Amino acid sequence: MENIFQPNAEFSKNAHIKSMDEYNALMKKADEDYEGFWKEYADEKIEWLASYDKVLDESDAPFYKWFTKGKLNVSNQCIDRHLAQKSNKVAILFEGDRGDIEKITYAELSKRVNKFANLLKNKFGVKKGDRVILYMPMIPEAAYAMLACARIGAIHSIVFGGFSAGALKDRIEDAKAKLVITADGAYRKGKPYLLKPVVDDALDKKIDCVEAVLVVKRNNEDIHWEEGRDHDYNALIGAESDECPFEPMDSEDPLFLLYTSGSTGKPKGVQHNTAGYILWAQMTMEWVFDVQGDDVYWCTADIGWITGHTYIVYGPLAAGTTTLMFEGVPTYPDAGRAWKMVQDHKITQFYTAPTAIRVLHKMGEDEPSKYDLSSLKVLGTVGEPIDPPAWKWYYEAVGGSQCAIVDTYWQTETGGHMISPLPGATPIKPACATYALPGIMAEVMDADGNAKELGETGLLCITKPWPSMIRNIWGDPERFKSAYFGDAKKDGKPVYFTGDGANVDKDGYITITGRMDDVINVSGHRMGSAEIEAVVTEDDYVAEVAVVGRHHDIKGESIFIYVVLKSEAEKDMKKHINDLLSSEIGNIAKADDIVVVPGLPKTRSGKIMRRILRSIAIGEAITQDTSTLEDPAVVGQIEKAVKEA
Ligand code: PRX
């Protein structure tokens, strides 16, 4: 008998969605009247400044448009409209690395965002449609900056603080940003670290578009100051008024860009637009995390990733809840930090990545029992498949076998959750994302769009557009079409390919099996093998390179690099290549394994057989036919090199 975990009956009584009957009824409604289904929520959840004329415009598929001609503003949706009822409620609860705490109410958030928006407009001339890069630590000013951009209609693009100057420069240039907002640095593991020098480095590489850099002083460390270009946020903000009317935005005006990895060397600027994104961010906060009343919700992601956008800032604030923002790491000063924070702040929903769960488990199996975690109602995971042992520990040791675990499957491109249990309704199978959310039409298909049999792994596709879907790749509509929409059609419309594999069991439960393309998932961070290869290929010593992912007990996957050298290198190639990756992309791109090999397994047409390389990396016997290789003997040589490495 399979283990099935029924929802907690007490919890279900008050949940937004209380039973599978309710779930099935919502699915049926969406199936019978798709636009009517979405219209109902758009009317209920969004404060429209002018009403929309059409729910869904499919005339230019796959460039779908939602709620056309409607007017709204996301910062109104997240702040102003709550003020009448919730001005004294804490909007952002900040805990610094060193334990410093700040509680920012909705009223205070309103003032700070308005001042920030005025500063952007008055001092830097930022206008609707301008792009602004944020290279920020996890401090409340990052959220103010996002909301201030949304307020005046500027498009923010956050670059994760772990990216290097090279990666930052590429993203600034692709977005053609006029302003960069950063901080001198912040604190991690009890020590100050710096961010501003990375911005200096990136801008040193001659970028014409950037006019100014706005610097928030967090740790007051000594930093280089470029007179005329750099501006001190803390010195300037006091003079700005705390009133700033919000710009009425069109439903389909861009809200933000977020760069992510794909199957080529160049990261993609995923574009999300206004109405559909904020609608689904709010709906999933309510359905999946079931936020209610005075809940205090904590997501441990970084705002540099989509999870931080949708589920630290936009979703929680649109839902009018209290969102905890944490500067530090959950394992510092010890393995009990996260659990102490849950206890101290009476956290009700806790959302993190399987890697973090595995680390916390390894560092302190019994650690959660030392704290009072009884406030917890819902536990969430995201970013990579969770393994059953990690799931079990999370459920039992952290949740006291009382909390639903929502294994939320989604992507940067989907804007919000796609497949996830509903905590008050779904009987949960461990380590399974369970069912598509109401309104989301997920199917497992082959490349031609034929449905796979039950139990068979295939491509996970979404067969109807949904409000928070990616609208475009910034500046590259052709790539948008080819990257996500193949030849497969359903009801004459192109279907969206997630790039993930999945299968469906006899009960209709969907299990995600992992990426089917060349994307590697390291600790829930998405890396393109082509992106890493593009950096390594540039090296003078390197003739050829191939990058694959390899199973890793803690990180989920780690990076494994095969290199063919031009000539015998004197250097320690592992250090040399990792230094290069660290400076061109960031520490997250460093490889665990770098093996020098005499050649790569290629077909006669020159295609690298990565499947063979993946098998060798994990020490698996080669079962693929190698007779079609240009040089079949190379396989044995690579195996030998890996064994000796
Ligand atoms: O492979 C899937 C994996 O993370 C990828 C998306 O990465 P990114 O765009 O960086 O967004 C991460 C946060 C949403 C997916 O294509 N993934 C995400 N959630 C899960 C998952 N794999 C398995 N189970 C999940 N719950």
Side-chain angles (χ1 to χ4, degrees):
M1 248 307 267
E2 242 177 330
N3 269 341
I4 295 198
F5 295 78
Q6 297 296 335
N8 178 326
E10 266 313 296
F11 177 89
S12 297
K13 277 189 203 158
N14 292 316
H16 283 86
I17 299 181
K18 299 178 175 56
S19 65
M20 281 310 279
D21 284 348
E22 257 186 59
Y23 167 81
N24 289 325
L26 287 169
M27 267 309 208
K28 185 160 176 279
K29 198 157 137 192
D31 206 33
E32 288 170 359
D33 177 11
Y34 197 61
E35 292 186 24
F37 172 88
W38 289 110
K39 181 179 187 325
E40 196 175 313
Y41 291 103
D43 292 348
E44 181 192 324
K45 309 280 176 197
I46 290 189
E47 187 165 287
W48 293 102
L49 308 171
S51 41
Y52 54 90
D53 63 355
K54 232 175 161 191
V55 173
L56 171 61
D57 177 356
E58 298 184 278
S59 59
D60 192 20
F63 298 93
Y64 299 103
K65 295 182 186 66
W66 283 87
F67 313 114
T68 47
K69 300 217 167 76
K71 297 273 184 204
L72 72 162
N73 183 285
V74 164
S75 90
N76 173 44
Q77 193 69 17
C78 291
I79 308 170
D80 307 51
R81 73 184 179 108
H82 299 313
L83 291 177
Q85 308 272 328
K86 296 184 175 170
S87 64
N88 292 323
K89 177 173 180 165
V90 176
I92 297 177
L93 170 53
F94 173 71
E95 179 160 327
D97 178 67
R98 299 158 304 156
D100 43 319
I101 287 169
E102 196 184 1
K103 295 182 177 176
I104 302 124
T105 61
Y106 274 92
E108 192 54 40
L109 179 64
S110 163
K111 289 186 185 151
R112 296 189 192 183
V113 169
N114 283 351
K115 277 171 166 280
F116 210 126
N118 279 327
L119 181 64
L120 295 182
K121 277 201 303 197
N122 302 337
K123 174 88 188 164
F124 302 105
V126 178
K127 300 181 303 298
K128 182 174 170 179
D130 285 344
R131 273 82 57 211
V132 176
I133 293 278
L134 273 58
Y135 188 69
M136 294 287 277
M138 287 289 293
I139 54 175
E141 286 78 3
Y144 309 158
M146 293 165 77
L147 292 158
C149 286
R151 195 162 188 90
I152 62 175
I155 305 167
H156 63 70
S157 182
I158 308 186
V159 179
F160 171 58
F163 278 119
S164 69
L168 176 59
K169 171 186 178 275
D170 291 347
R171 286 156 176 77
I172 295 173
E173 280 188 320
D174 192 82
K176 295 198 179 55
K178 73 190 273 185
L179 178 71
V180 177
I181 306 177
T182 188
D184 47 359
Y187 297 92
R188 189 188 295 129
K189 297 190 178 175
K191 295 199 189 74
Y193 71 93
L194 295 176
L195 279 170
K196 169 73 165 42
V198 184
V199 176
D200 292 333
D201 259 14
L203 296 181
D204 247 10
K205 300 178 192 210
K206 294 287 159 275
I207 303 182
D208 293 334
C209 52
V210 173
E211 294 167 10
V213 177
L214 179 61
V215 186
V216 177
K217 297 279 181 69
R218 166 70 180 148
N219 55 20
N220 291 303
E221 291 291 305
D222 226 3
I223 49 169
H224 166 77
W225 202 258
E226 188 88 18
E227 281 309 325
R229 185 196 71 185
D230 296 347
H231 301 266
D232 181 344
Y233 166 86
N234 305 60
L236 292 168
I237 197 70
E240 297 297 337
S241 152
D242 59 16
E243 280 181 30
C244 174
F246 50 78
E247 185 79 27
M249 301 297 289
D250 193 277
S251 293
E252 286 294 337
D253 277 333
L255 177 65
F256 65 82
L257 309 179
L258 182 57
Y259 285 83
T260 190
S261 300
S263 52
T264 74
K266 191 173 179 296
K268 305 180 275 198
V270 171
Q271 179 187 327
H272 281 290
N273 289 3
T274 301
Y277 172 82
I278 199 66
L279 174 64
W280 192 232
Q282 183 179 333
M283 286 173 69
T284 48
M285 272 314 288
E286 293 169 354
W287 282 353
V288 176
F289 295 123
D290 205 68
V291 287
Q292 313 245 4
D294 291 328
D295 281 356
V296 183
Y297 158 95
W298 180 19
C299 165
T300 68
D302 188 282
I303 44 134
W305 308 113
I306 190 69
T307 308
H309 286 61
T310 310
Y311 297 113
I312 293 180
V313 179
Y314 289 122
L317 297 177
T321 199
T322 300
T323 179
L324 185 128
M325 212 173 161
F326 177 44
E327 181 186 32
V329 294
T331 50
Y332 180 86
D334 55 45
R337 176 71 181 265
W339 315 129
K340 183 172 184 316
M341 286 176 63
V342 169
Q343 171 181 281
D344 290 353
H345 300 300
K346 298 196 171 44
I347 298 294
T348 40
Q349 291 87 0
F350 179 68
Y351 190 31
T352 195
T355 298
I357 298 167
R358 289 189 288 262
V359 169
L360 289 165
H361 181 192
K362 198 165 165 214
M363 283 182 70
E365 167 111 33
D366 300 322
E367 204 60 30
S369 66
K370 298 179 189 157
Y371 299 89
D372 176 5
L373 306 183
S374 59
S375 56
L376 287 170
K377 296 193 286 191
V378 179
L379 299 173
T381 96
V382 59
E384 47 177 325
I386 182 166
D387 46 295
W391 192 96
K392 188 165 177 283
W393 181 76
Y394 200 30
Y395 185 76
E396 291 172 355
V398 181
S401 304
Q402 296 297 310
C403 304
I405 295 187
V406 290
D407 177 354
T408 62
Y409 166 81
W410 59 297
Q411 312 176 300
T412 303
E413 293 87 342
T414 68
H417 301 147
M418 293 277 105
I419 301 174
S420 171
L422 295 164
T426 316
I428 292 175
K429 296 187 184 182
C432 171
T434 73
Y435 297 114
L437 292 174
I440 302 300
M441 306 299 173
E443 253 182 68
V444 179
M445 297 179 147
D446 66 18
D448 297 322
N450 304 307
K452 284 275 184 182
E453 299 286 324
L454 286 187
E456 261 188 336
T457 296
L459 300 165
L460 177 64
C461 300
I462 313 293
T463 59
K464 271 185 190 288
W466 66 102
S468 67
M469 73 191 293
I470 173 175
R471 292 301 195 274
N472 205 347
I473 291 176
W474 188 249
D476 201 347
E478 282 309 314
R479 189 172 176 201
F480 166 74
K481 278 200 273 188
S482 63
Y484 302 110
F485 301 90
D487 296 330
K489 293 210 164 44
K490 171 126 185 175
D491 303 330
K493 302 270 164 47
V495 304
Y496 171 86
F497 281 103
T498 60
D500 284 296
N503 55 60
V504 182
D505 74 6
K506 60 178 185 350
D507 303 319
Y509 280 69
I510 303 169
T511 297
I512 312 296
T513 56
R515 298 291 303 197
M516 303 278 270
D517 53 11
D518 294 325
V519 168
I520 305 173
N521 197 328
V522 185
S523 303
H525 299 162
R526 187 166 150 180
M527 307 291 319
S529 40
E531 207 176 327
I532 301 169
E533 287 167 5
V535 170
V536 180
T537 311
E538 289 295 305
D539 187 59
D540 286 344
Y541 291 96
V542 172
E544 281 185 294
V545 58
V547 174
V548 296
R550 169 198 181 159
H551 172 78
H552 187 282
D553 281 345
I554 298 286
K555 297 193 264 191
E557 273 190 297
S558 63
I559 296 168
F560 196 116
I561 304 184
Y562 295 90
V563 274
V564 182
L565 299 182
K566 283 183 186 150
S567 58
E568 202 60 28
E570 301 274 298
K571 285 183 178 276
D572 171 353
M573 281 310 284
K574 180 162 181 185
K575 181 172 180 318
H576 175 69
I577 289 178
N578 269 339
D579 286 349
L580 188 68
L581 287 168
S582 162
S583 84
E584 290 302 312
I585 302 178
N587 284 337
I588 52 171
K590 281 187 175 174
D592 281 24
D593 300 274
I594 297 176
V595 181
V596 177
V597 290
L600 296 172
K602 285 194 210 151
T603 60
R604 289 193 187 94
S605 60
K607 188 171 174 300
I608 297 171
M609 299 277 288
R610 278 167 211 279
R611 250 192 307 151
I612 294 180
L613 293 174
R614 278 191 206 109
S615 297
I616 298 176
I618 55 171
E620 199 178 72
I622 305 296
T623 52
Q624 294 95 333
D625 176 15
T626 54
S627 63
T628 55
L629 293 181
E630 193 181 43
D631 173 16
V634 82
V635 174
Q637 294 164 359
I638 299 171
E639 282 179 311
K640 185 161 172 277
V642 170
K643 277 201 195 99
E644 287 169 0

